[in-house]
Amino acid sequence: MAWFGMDKTRRVAAGEALPGRAEALDTPDWHDVHEDRRIKPPFPDGLRTAVFGMGCFWGAERLFWRTPGVYSTAVGYAGGHTPNPTYEEVCTGLTGHAEVVLVVYDPAQVSYETLLKVFWEGHDPTQGMRQGNDVGTQYRSAIYYTDETRQAEAEASRASFEQALRGAGYHAITTEIAPLGEFYYAEDYHQQYLHKVPDGYCGLGGTGVSCPVGLGVRKG
């Protein structure tokens, strides 16, 4: 399938997507910063996971591995059609995936609501299929939830933060909030990239608007 000249801000349908592969990519089991912690299951009892897309996943992952209460992180692809995609395939716009971060956290130390606050304040969720100079569907803002409670918390936080953004002169939030299908781990060199390459590219930038907390939904 040719993709030269295609509009990378248009999400592809399942029938247009690249075929991918049955085999998972070869990726590490362990975190490069928290070296005694896994980035793949099994995780210690009591931990939970969350998946966020904030544009380029390098800077987004660093934001979360520095958040107190987060056990480990990994970057990957979600929200698309192509099984086990490569980074090069995702960059074509023909897999439908967003670049995302898997956040493994201890709800006794940090609530999902707090992670949502980190998410909203860490990028500009009003930009549609881009984040700063990074343009394409892979850079869209996204929250992928695993149950109805997380969905309710995500939607409540979106409504609260959108009100704050409107007051600061921003447009409507374009963040995709959807059930998590399959999370595919990105290649080894992407994992904890900004730890391996401290001066590497980070396109992450927030709006400077504070996200309210205390949304009236169950935490954790």
Side-chain angles (χ1 to χ4, degrees):
M1 180 183 295
W3 55 78
F4 298 107
M6 70 165 288
D7 180 4
K8 291 187 178 181
T9 65
R10 181 183 69 85
R11 295 184 65 173
V12 297
E16 302 174 284
L18 296 174
R21 56 203 48 79
E23 304 79 16
L25 303 181
D26 184 18
T27 56
D29 292 330
W30 300 93
H31 204 276
D32 207 61
V33 178
H34 306 300
E35 297 180 353
D36 60 340
R37 302 178 186 179
R38 296 180 59 86
I39 69 171
K40 295 179 180 177
F43 301 120
D45 292 342
L47 300 188
R48 293 177 178 167
T49 60
V51 175
F52 302 107
M54 304 169 64
C56 177
F57 50 21
W58 293 342
E61 185 185 18
R62 181 173 63 183
L63 189 65
F64 282 108
W65 87 52
R66 291 176 169 176
T67 299
V70 169
Y71 175 82
S72 73
T73 55
V75 295
Y77 315 112
H81 310 293
T82 300
N84 298 300
T86 66
Y87 180 69
E88 289 73 18
E89 289 172 338
V90 172
C91 286
T92 68
L94 289 172
T95 71
H97 291 292
E99 294 188 20
V100 297
V101 180
L102 172 69
V103 180
V104 185
Y105 69 101
D106 183 349
Q109 299 184 44
V110 61
S111 68
Y112 185 64
E113 181 183 65
T114 297
L115 297 181
L116 287 168
K117 179 178 174 66
V118 173
F119 166 79
W120 293 120
E121 293 181 358
H123 74 304
D124 183 347
T126 70
Q127 295 190 6
M129 298 300 178
R130 61 184 287 263
Q131 194 63 210
N133 293 326
D134 295 324
V135 178
T137 58
Q138 79 194 76
Y139 301 115
R140 67 188 182 269
S141 174
I143 301 170
Y144 296 112
Y145 59 82
T146 54
D147 58 48
E148 292 182 353
T149 298
R150 301 294 170 270
Q151 178 186 10
E153 289 184 273
E155 291 175 349
S157 69
R158 176 179 59 187
S160 181
F161 192 47
E162 185 166 71
Q163 184 176 3
L165 286 173
R166 293 283 198 178
Y170 282 87
H171 295 296
I173 285 175
T174 60
T175 301
E176 174 188 11
I177 299 179
L180 177 66
E182 191 73 26
F183 171 84
Y184 298 104
Y185 286 85
E187 294 86 339
D188 186 359
Y189 72 96
H190 289 298
Q191 303 298 336
Q192 300 85 60
Y193 178 83
L194 290 180
H195 173 69
K196 300 169 183 174
V197 186
D199 295 327
Y201 171 78
C202 176
L204 206 63
T207 60
V209 178
S210 177
C211 178
V213 296
L215 304 173
V217 291
R218 190 173 67 84
K219 300 179 182 180

